[in-house]
Amino acid sequence: MNAEPLKARTRVAVIGAGPAGLMLSHLLSLSGIDSVVIDLRERADIETTLRAGILEQGTVDLMTGTGVGARLLTEGQRHEGIAIRSRGESRRIDFTALTGRAVHLYPQHEVLKDLIAARLAAGGDLRFGVSEVSVHDVTTDAPSVRFTDADGTRVELSCAVVAGCDGSQGVSRTAVPEDARTDYFHAYPHGWFGILTEAPPSSDELVYAHSERGFALISSRSPSVQRMYFQCDPAEDAGSWSDERIWAELRARVNGNGFELEEGPIIQRGVIPMRSYVIDPMRHGRLFLAGDAAHTVPPTGAKGLNLAVSDVAVLCQALERFFHQGSTELLDSYGRTASDRVWRAQHFSWWMTSMLHADADADAFGRRRQLGEIDQLTESVAGSTYLAEAYTGWPIAHTNPDSVVADTITGSADRTP
Ligand code: DHB
């Protein structure tokens, strides 16, 4: 099949219909900037794949402020704190008392459903189920993305800018030549064994539990479905665990002193790897990376989706300056601005992980020191305030006062570069 590809044109070619790509396309459309979003996956896959569920205050403000927050406000749950559990005692970190902020529990695939619905209602061009995606000529001012549409048509999509939002395994990251980038990578010696169970909630707020047997996290998806995780070997085979063995492990890490998990049938299970990665720079010519294409965080602290959203809020402001005012100034500073927040999140996720996980190599001193750290954190206003600030999220950089997102970015005027 050597037929000439079908030629198409847009201003921003967005690779990946995850949180970064869909949110970017949504924000750009509010500013009158057209985009085409492509994804290898089918829409049904995207709308059902289970991921984390915590939205920072800034993510909530951006969604509600741009017309995609209605379901989040009615069906999501506002959480004003978490419990840190250690030696069988829970200690609450009160986010709202410490910072005036909160988070929302609203699963990522629900965010994606809302964004897809908003894009389609606005006449947006979303192509699911594409294949053979490649990126071309990004170091010129006429880049393009080639792909095969779901119906088999070869397409050459010319654009002014490519947004690489296709995650850690996508083509965008590899389109940055090795000699033009630095890769920062860290593998953690742990995995998370994650389950979904049909049971009522065990707690009104999330419980992050430290125990001698390792970390556990009690989260929720709905009044009748709960999400729980426990630290495991990254090579663990989830299929080889009986339900009873899973519950015994969770009980041993979490139950005690009046706290008891609500148990039910386990309807899904899997092991999640834990790694940190950042690419520098987050751009190559006219290709801009956002979300997991540019960085990976371990799940502890639920920063992945929120970083994707804050990256594209910064990228949107830069693209508005470029298309509406003809200046590349904010595109040139995009990576610096976005990575400032990425590295705070890397530190926070790493720190939560190191504080709460059992380290097989730790000596008696290391194990006892960890308890001292948890006590210092939970009993000190200064310590808990750091956790509350980081968990509810740092301000999204406010770089362009003319942007459609300017009014929805709260509390960030003092961080204008
Ligand atoms: C969830 C996942 C996280 O990594 C986290 O820190 C909190 C909640 C979740 O899936 O609900």
Side-chain angles (χ1 to χ4, degrees):
M1 222 185 51
N2 285 324
E4 274 289 295
L6 187 75
K7 302 229 191 268
R9 210 184 149 79
T10 189
R11 282 202 270 188
V12 184
V14 181
I15 308 178
L22 289 169
M23 181 61 95
L24 179 64
S25 176
H26 166 64
L27 297 176
L28 290 173
S29 79
L30 300 177
S31 197
I33 299 169
D34 59 292
S35 61
V36 174
V37 183
I38 63 171
D39 202 293
L40 301 175
R41 296 166 299 169
E42 298 297 341
R43 178 176 174 188
D45 278 356
I46 293 172
E47 293 190 336
T48 53
T49 302
L50 197 77
R51 291 280 166 79
I54 292 289
L55 307 186
E56 292 174 0
Q57 180 80 56
T59 302
V60 172
D61 293 345
L62 189 66
M63 286 183 66
T64 52
T66 62
V68 288
R71 267 192 343 120
L72 145 66
L73 292 181
T74 52
E75 294 176 30
Q77 280 173 37
R78 181 180 155 93
H79 282 207
E80 299 193 344
I82 56 169
I84 303 272
R85 224 173 138 72
S86 168
R87 287 148 287 171
E89 300 273 348
S90 287
R91 295 179 207 164
R92 181 164 189 260
I93 310 281
D94 187 334
F95 298 155
T96 309
L98 293 165
T99 66
R101 293 157 77 83
V103 295
H104 269 71
L105 184 68
Y106 187 64
Q108 171 165 323
H109 62 273
E110 301 294 343
V111 173
L112 298 180
K113 279 191 215 167
D114 295 341
L115 288 169
I116 290 171
R119 288 307 297 124
L120 294 178
D125 189 345
L126 308 182
R127 320 248 181 132
F128 300 105
V130 307
S131 54
E132 300 174 291
V133 178
S134 56
V135 180
H136 302 269
D137 303 321
V138 293
T139 53
T140 73
D141 58 8
S144 65
V145 175
R146 293 184 203 155
F147 58 95
T148 303
D149 236 331
D151 67 4
T153 312
R154 276 301 287 164
V155 179
E156 181 176 335
L157 179 64
S158 304
C159 55
V161 167
V162 180
C165 304
D166 51 349
S168 58
Q169 307 297 319
V171 298
S172 302
R173 190 188 279 181
T174 50
V176 183
E178 282 192 14
D179 60 2
R181 71 193 219 201
T182 305
D183 299 273
Y184 297 90
F185 181 75
H186 181 73
Y188 300 78
H190 328 293
W192 275 16
F193 196 123
I195 63 159
L196 273 184
T197 176
E198 277 172 350
S202 299
S203 158
D204 292 341
E205 293 180 338
L206 269 59
V207 179
Y208 286 78
H210 168 274
S211 85
E212 282 175 12
R213 298 181 68 88
F215 172 72
L217 169 59
I218 309 305
S219 180
S220 181
R221 282 294 173 269
S222 72
S224 56
V225 177
Q226 309 313 315
R227 181 80 167 139
M228 303 183 188
Y229 303 94
F230 60 91
Q231 174 189 346
C232 66
D233 190 298
E236 192 62 64
D237 170 18
S240 71
W241 284 59
S242 68
D243 285 17
E244 177 45 34
R245 186 172 169 215
I246 293 172
W247 284 118
E249 194 58 52
L250 279 163
R251 273 180 227 130
R253 295 185 190 199
V254 182
N255 281 4
N257 291 330
F259 185 87
E260 206 171 304
L261 287 173
E262 296 277 0
E263 300 176 16
I266 294 174
I267 54 175
Q268 208 190 79
R269 66 184 68 194
V271 172
I272 302 163
M274 299 183 74
R275 45 182 63 117
S276 283
Y277 171 81
V278 182
I279 191 169
D280 178 42
M282 287 169 63
R283 112 181 252 185
H284 185 59
R286 291 284 186 101
L287 167 68
F288 294 85
L289 303 178
D292 280 5
H295 40 72
T296 307
V297 284
T300 330
K303 288 287 170 233
L305 162 76
N306 295 292
L307 282 181
V309 168
S310 57
D311 281 355
V312 299
V314 173
L315 185 54
C316 174
Q317 295 176 76
L319 290 168
E320 288 176 277
R321 175 68 59 82
F322 178 62
F323 287 114
H324 297 326
Q325 285 160 306
S327 163
T328 62
E329 177 203 351
L330 295 181
L331 285 178
D332 294 339
S333 59
Y334 161 69
R336 270 199 313 282
T337 306
S339 70
D340 174 69
R341 198 173 197 286
V342 168
W343 280 107
R344 285 165 202 249
Q346 290 291 5
H347 172 73
F348 175 66
S349 311
W350 169 88
W351 169 70
M352 286 279 276
T353 303
S354 72
M355 180 172 64
L356 296 171
H357 287 63
D359 176 355
D361 294 333
D363 56 12
F365 171 82
R367 289 193 295 276
R368 189 62 192 84
R369 182 204 59 76
Q370 207 180 24
L371 298 177
E373 186 176 7
I374 293 171
D375 290 342
Q376 167 62 10
L377 165 82
T378 52
E379 286 166 18
S380 141
V381 172
S384 356
T385 303
Y386 166 65
L387 190 148
E389 274 176 2
Y391 200 99
T392 57
W394 306 277
I396 294 173
H398 186 175
T399 55
N400 181 352
D402 302 318
S403 167
V404 289
V405 303
D407 290 344
T408 71
I409 301 176
T410 46
S412 45
D414 56 336
R415 293 187 40 77
T416 303

